[in-house]
Amino acid sequence: MKEYALGEIGTFWSGLLNTEQKLSGGDRTVRAVQPSDVPSQQTGVSEWDLPGALRTINPSQKNLEKSLLKKGDLILKTVGDFNACRVKSISCDAVLIGHLQGIRMNPGLCLSEYFMWYSTTLEFQRQIEQQYTGAAMKRLKPKSLKETKIRIPEIQQQEKIAQVYRGLQKIREIGNAQTQARAVYSKGLFQKMESSQSLAGLPFQLNTVSR
Protein backbone atom coordinates (compact mmCIF):
# COMPACT_ATOMS: atom_id res chain seq x y z
CA MET A 1 0.00 0.00 0.00
CA LYS A 2 1.37 3.40 -1.02
CA GLU A 3 0.65 6.88 0.30
CA TYR A 4 -0.11 9.76 -2.05
CA ALA A 5 -1.21 13.35 -1.75
CA LEU A 6 -4.61 13.86 -3.37
CA GLY A 7 -3.06 16.33 -5.78
CA GLU A 8 -0.89 13.53 -7.16
CA ILE A 9 -3.72 11.18 -8.12
CA GLY A 10 -6.39 13.40 -9.60
CA THR A 11 -7.27 16.57 -11.48
CA PHE A 12 -8.69 19.36 -9.31
CA TRP A 13 -10.83 22.35 -10.19
CA SER A 14 -12.73 24.87 -8.08
CA GLY A 15 -16.33 25.98 -8.41
CA LEU A 16 -16.75 29.23 -10.30
CA LEU A 17 -17.35 32.16 -7.95
CA ASN A 18 -17.99 34.96 -10.43
CA THR A 19 -20.34 33.37 -12.94
CA GLU A 20 -21.34 36.61 -14.63
CA GLN A 21 -17.75 37.27 -15.56
CA LYS A 22 -16.51 33.75 -16.23
CA LEU A 23 -19.62 32.28 -17.85
CA SER A 24 -21.23 34.86 -20.06
CA GLY A 25 -22.68 34.67 -23.54
CA GLY A 26 -22.63 31.52 -25.62
CA ASP A 27 -25.53 29.41 -26.84
CA ARG A 28 -25.39 26.34 -24.57
CA THR A 29 -27.32 26.00 -21.34
CA VAL A 30 -25.80 24.08 -18.44
CA ARG A 31 -26.85 23.30 -14.90
CA ALA A 32 -25.23 25.37 -12.16
CA VAL A 33 -24.47 22.99 -9.27
CA GLN A 34 -24.28 24.92 -6.01
CA PRO A 35 -23.21 23.75 -2.51
CA SER A 36 -26.85 23.51 -1.40
CA ASP A 37 -27.52 21.01 -4.23
CA VAL A 38 -24.96 18.46 -3.08
CA PRO A 39 -26.48 15.62 -1.00
CA SER A 40 -25.07 15.17 2.49
CA GLN A 41 -23.21 12.03 3.52
CA GLN A 42 -24.97 12.34 6.88
CA THR A 43 -28.18 11.26 5.17
CA GLY A 44 -26.44 8.13 3.90
CA VAL A 45 -26.30 9.47 0.33
CA SER A 46 -22.92 9.75 -1.33
CA GLU A 47 -23.83 8.61 -4.86
CA TRP A 48 -25.64 11.27 -6.84
CA ASP A 49 -27.78 10.89 -9.97
CA LEU A 50 -27.32 14.48 -11.04
CA PRO A 51 -30.72 15.69 -12.30
CA GLY A 52 -31.51 17.79 -15.32
CA ALA A 53 -31.15 21.55 -15.40
CA LEU A 54 -32.97 23.42 -12.63
CA ARG A 55 -31.00 26.65 -12.49
CA THR A 56 -29.20 27.41 -15.69
CA ILE A 57 -26.53 29.75 -16.99
CA ASN A 58 -25.34 30.37 -20.52
CA PRO A 59 -21.59 29.77 -20.63
CA SER A 60 -19.01 30.83 -23.13
CA GLN A 61 -17.53 27.95 -25.10
CA LYS A 62 -14.03 28.94 -23.97
CA ASN A 63 -14.71 28.16 -20.29
CA LEU A 64 -17.17 25.34 -20.67
CA GLU A 65 -15.37 22.14 -21.60
CA LYS A 66 -12.77 22.16 -18.82
CA SER A 67 -15.45 22.80 -16.21
CA LEU A 68 -18.07 20.22 -17.20
CA LEU A 69 -18.84 17.46 -14.70
CA LYS A 70 -18.58 13.84 -15.83
CA LYS A 71 -19.80 10.52 -14.49
CA GLY A 72 -17.51 9.35 -11.68
CA ASP A 73 -16.34 12.85 -10.73
CA LEU A 74 -16.11 13.71 -7.04
CA ILE A 75 -17.68 16.85 -5.57
CA LEU A 76 -16.37 18.16 -2.24
CA LYS A 77 -17.78 20.98 -0.13
CA THR A 78 -14.96 23.16 1.18
CA VAL A 79 -16.90 25.58 3.41
CA GLY A 80 -18.71 24.44 6.54
CA ASP A 81 -18.89 20.74 7.34
CA PHE A 82 -16.87 18.61 4.94
CA ASN A 83 -18.95 16.58 2.55
CA ALA A 84 -18.13 14.45 -0.48
CA CYS A 85 -20.29 12.83 -3.11
CA ARG A 86 -19.69 10.96 -6.34
CA VAL A 87 -21.55 11.67 -9.57
CA LYS A 88 -23.21 8.34 -10.30
CA SER A 89 -24.96 9.52 -13.45
CA ILE A 90 -25.53 12.82 -15.21
CA SER A 91 -28.28 13.82 -17.60
CA CYS A 92 -27.15 17.28 -18.67
CA ASP A 93 -24.12 19.53 -18.97
CA ALA A 94 -23.28 20.88 -15.51
CA VAL A 95 -20.61 22.98 -13.82
CA LEU A 96 -19.72 23.67 -10.18
CA ILE A 97 -20.60 27.04 -8.72
CA GLY A 98 -19.41 28.50 -5.41
CA HIS A 99 -17.36 26.84 -2.69
CA LEU A 100 -17.11 23.39 -4.23
CA GLN A 101 -14.10 21.40 -5.35
CA GLY A 102 -14.21 18.95 -8.21
CA ILE A 103 -11.83 15.98 -8.43
CA ARG A 104 -11.41 13.62 -11.37
CA MET A 105 -9.35 10.67 -10.22
CA ASN A 106 -6.72 9.00 -12.37
CA PRO A 107 -8.40 5.57 -12.69
CA GLY A 108 -5.04 3.90 -13.07
CA LEU A 109 -4.08 5.02 -9.57
CA CYS A 110 -7.26 5.45 -7.56
CA LEU A 111 -10.89 4.46 -8.14
CA SER A 112 -13.37 7.19 -7.25
CA GLU A 113 -15.45 4.68 -5.29
CA TYR A 114 -12.39 3.74 -3.24
CA PHE A 115 -11.90 7.41 -2.39
CA MET A 116 -15.54 7.69 -1.30
CA TRP A 117 -14.98 4.83 1.11
CA TYR A 118 -11.64 6.23 2.31
CA SER A 119 -13.18 9.68 2.92
CA THR A 120 -15.31 8.13 5.68
CA THR A 121 -12.32 6.77 7.63
CA LEU A 122 -11.15 8.46 10.84
CA GLU A 123 -7.66 8.71 9.36
CA PHE A 124 -8.90 10.92 6.51
CA GLN A 125 -11.40 12.91 8.57
CA ARG A 126 -8.77 13.84 11.16
CA GLN A 127 -6.55 15.23 8.42
CA ILE A 128 -9.42 17.33 7.11
CA GLU A 129 -10.25 18.69 10.57
CA GLN A 130 -6.63 19.73 11.10
CA GLN A 131 -6.56 21.64 7.81
CA TYR A 132 -9.67 23.75 8.36
CA THR A 133 -9.20 27.49 8.85
CA GLY A 134 -11.64 30.04 10.25
CA ALA A 135 -13.66 30.11 13.45
CA ALA A 136 -17.17 31.30 12.64
CA MET A 137 -17.15 29.49 9.30
CA LYS A 138 -14.74 26.63 8.60
CA ARG A 139 -12.94 26.73 5.26
CA LEU A 140 -10.78 24.16 3.54
CA LYS A 141 -8.30 25.68 1.12
CA PRO A 142 -7.79 23.83 -2.19
CA LYS A 143 -4.03 23.74 -1.55
CA SER A 144 -4.58 21.99 1.79
CA LEU A 145 -7.00 19.55 0.20
CA LYS A 146 -4.46 18.64 -2.47
CA GLU A 147 -1.88 17.95 0.24
CA THR A 148 -4.18 15.59 2.15
CA LYS A 149 -2.72 12.10 2.26
CA ILE A 150 -4.52 8.97 1.13
CA ARG A 151 -3.25 5.40 1.39
CA ILE A 152 -3.91 3.41 -1.76
CA PRO A 153 -3.65 -0.35 -2.29
CA GLU A 154 -3.32 -2.07 -5.65
CA ILE A 155 -6.21 -1.63 -8.09
CA GLN A 156 -7.39 -5.20 -7.49
CA GLN A 157 -7.80 -4.49 -3.78
CA GLN A 158 -9.48 -1.15 -4.52
CA GLU A 159 -11.99 -2.94 -6.73
CA LYS A 160 -12.89 -5.32 -3.91
CA ILE A 161 -13.50 -2.38 -1.58
CA ALA A 162 -15.45 -0.63 -4.35
CA GLN A 163 -17.71 -3.67 -4.69
CA VAL A 164 -18.50 -3.56 -0.97
CA TYR A 165 -19.07 0.20 -1.24
CA ARG A 166 -21.50 -0.28 -4.13
CA GLY A 167 -23.36 -2.92 -2.13
CA LEU A 168 -23.69 -0.60 0.85
CA GLN A 169 -24.93 2.20 -1.39
CA LYS A 170 -27.57 -0.12 -2.83
CA ILE A 171 -28.75 -1.01 0.67
CA ARG A 172 -28.90 2.69 1.57
CA GLU A 173 -30.87 3.49 -1.57
CA ILE A 174 -33.40 0.76 -0.75
CA GLY A 175 -33.61 1.95 2.85
CA ASN A 176 -34.12 5.58 1.81
CA ALA A 177 -36.80 4.55 -0.70
CA GLN A 178 -38.61 2.52 1.95
CA THR A 179 -38.43 5.40 4.42
CA GLN A 180 -39.89 7.79 1.86
CA ALA A 181 -42.62 5.30 0.96
CA ARG A 182 -43.57 4.88 4.63
CA ALA A 183 -43.70 8.65 5.07
CA VAL A 184 -46.01 9.05 2.06
CA TYR A 185 -48.21 6.17 3.25
CA SER A 186 -48.45 7.60 6.78
CA LYS A 187 -49.32 11.05 5.49
CA GLY A 188 -52.04 9.61 3.23
CA LEU A 189 -53.41 7.52 6.09
CA PHE A 190 -53.67 10.49 8.44
CA GLN A 191 -55.33 12.59 5.74
CA LYS A 192 -57.84 9.80 5.14
CA MET A 193 -58.52 9.50 8.87
CA GLU A 194 -58.96 13.25 9.27
CA SER A 195 -61.50 13.37 6.46
CA SER A 196 -63.44 10.34 7.71
CA GLN A 197 -66.95 11.10 9.00
CA SER A 198 -66.58 8.31 11.58
CA LEU A 199 -64.14 10.51 13.51
CA ALA A 200 -66.49 13.47 13.77
CA GLY A 201 -66.96 14.70 17.32
CA LEU A 202 -63.79 13.23 18.78
CA PRO A 203 -62.29 15.49 21.51
CA PHE A 204 -58.91 15.79 19.72
CA GLN A 205 -57.44 16.66 16.35
CA LEU A 206 -55.31 14.09 14.54
CA ASN A 207 -53.19 16.83 13.08
CA THR A 208 -51.64 17.30 16.50
CA VAL A 209 -49.96 13.92 16.18
CA SER A 210 -46.25 14.16 15.39
CA ARG A 211 -45.53 13.15 11.80
Side-chain angles (χ1 to χ4, degrees), residues 16-201:
L16 300 172
L17 298 178
N18 188 341
T19 57
E20 291 184 358
Q21 178 181 2
K22 293 185 178 181
L23 294 175
S24 59
D27 56 359
R28 292 175 65 179
T29 299
V30 301
R31 185 171 195 265
V33 178
Q34 299 181 348
S36 59
D37 297 326
V38 179
S40 171
Q41 283 178 297
Q42 294 179 349
T43 64
V45 177
S46 53
E47 293 281 297
W48 193 21
D49 295 297
L50 201 154
L54 298 178
R55 291 183 299 277
T56 60
I57 49 181
N58 294 316
S60 64
Q61 190 68 27
K62 178 181 178 181
N63 296 308
L64 178 60
E65 298 303 329
K66 65 180 182 180
S67 301
L68 285 178
L69 284 168
K70 296 181 180 179
K71 179 180 177 181
D73 283 348
L74 304 170
I75 304 174
L76 280 60
K77 292 178 69 173
T78 55
V79 172
D81 292 332
F82 177 81
N83 186 37
C85 79
R86 175 180 176 274
V87 178
K88 181 180 179 182
S89 66
I90 187 167
S91 58
C92 66
D93 289 341
V95 294
L96 300 180
I97 301 296
H99 297 290
L100 293 172
Q101 192 74 32
I103 308 178
R104 185 167 298 147
M105 289 295 185
N106 178 343
L109 285 176
C110 183
L111 302 178
S112 59
E113 291 162 310
Y114 173 80
F115 171 82
M116 287 303 303
W117 169 80
Y118 192 83
S119 70
T120 65
T121 64
L122 288 177
E123 181 178 283
F124 183 84
Q125 293 176 3
R126 284 170 181 163
Q127 289 187 75
I128 293 296
E129 285 297 325
Q130 292 171 358
Q131 293 170 353
Y132 271 123
T133 60
M137 180 62 74
K138 298 188 299 183
R139 295 178 181 271
L140 185 62
K141 296 180 179 179
K143 182 177 183 294
S144 297
L145 186 59
K146 291 179 182 180
E147 294 173 349
T148 303
K149 302 297 183 181
I150 176 173
R151 292 195 295 165
I152 303 176
E154 297 295 329
I155 288 294
Q156 293 84 351
Q157 292 298 319
Q158 291 185 49
E159 183 57 43
K160 291 179 180 179
I161 294 173
Q163 289 177 1
V164 174
Y165 168 81
R166 286 191 289 267
L168 291 173
Q169 287 301 307
K170 192 64 177 178
I171 292 172
R172 286 176 174 177
E173 290 173 5
I174 294 172
N176 289 339
Q178 290 176 340
T179 299
Q180 293 174 2
R182 283 195 295 268
V184 171
Y185 175 79
S186 297
K187 181 177 180 181
L189 181 60
F190 275 116
Q191 290 175 342
K192 184 177 181 179
M193 292 171 67
E194 288 173 339
S195 63
S196 174
Q197 293 182 356
S198 64
L199 297 177

